[in-house]
């Protein structure tokens, strides 16, 4: 029996005041802190609000071979 984990997808979830959330789907697996800062700065520029947090949510596929 062989088990294998594989990256499937990732999304960036940015939170603004009043718990408004912007979700960016299909971000790359190795998103850096600098890239997250660039995206949040762009959202702040577009919305005129200050970002209060950001989460990177990844999904992995776990294949079980028999």
């Amino acid at each position: 029996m062989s088990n294998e984990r594989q990256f499937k997808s990732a999304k960036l979830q940015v939170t603004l005041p009043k718990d408004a959330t912007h979700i960016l789907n299909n971000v790359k697996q190795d998103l850096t802190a600098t890239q997250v800062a660039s995206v949040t700065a762009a959202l702040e520029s577009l919305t005129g609000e200050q970002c209060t947090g950001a989460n990177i949510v990844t999904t992995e596929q776990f294949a079980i071979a028999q």
Side-chain angles (χ1 to χ4, degrees), residues 1-63:
M1 184 185 302
S2 172
N3 299 328
E4 186 177 320
R5 287 175 86 153
Q6 291 183 328
F7 172 77
K8 188 171 182 181
S9 66
K11 63 184 173 182
L12 176 62
Q13 191 174 31
V14 180
T15 306
L16 297 169
K18 300 178 187 172
D19 293 326
T21 303
H22 291 280
I23 298 173
L24 299 125
N25 292 308
N26 301 318
V27 299
K28 52 189 237 178
Q29 179 179 2
D30 54 350
L31 197 63
T32 66
T34 303
Q35 292 168 324
V36 172
S38 295
V39 170
T40 56
L43 282 173
E44 288 174 345
S45 176
L46 290 170
T47 62
E49 296 182 357
Q50 192 76 19
C51 292
T52 60
N55 296 313
I56 299 170
V57 181
T58 59
T59 303
E60 293 181 344
Q61 179 177 343
F62 190 76

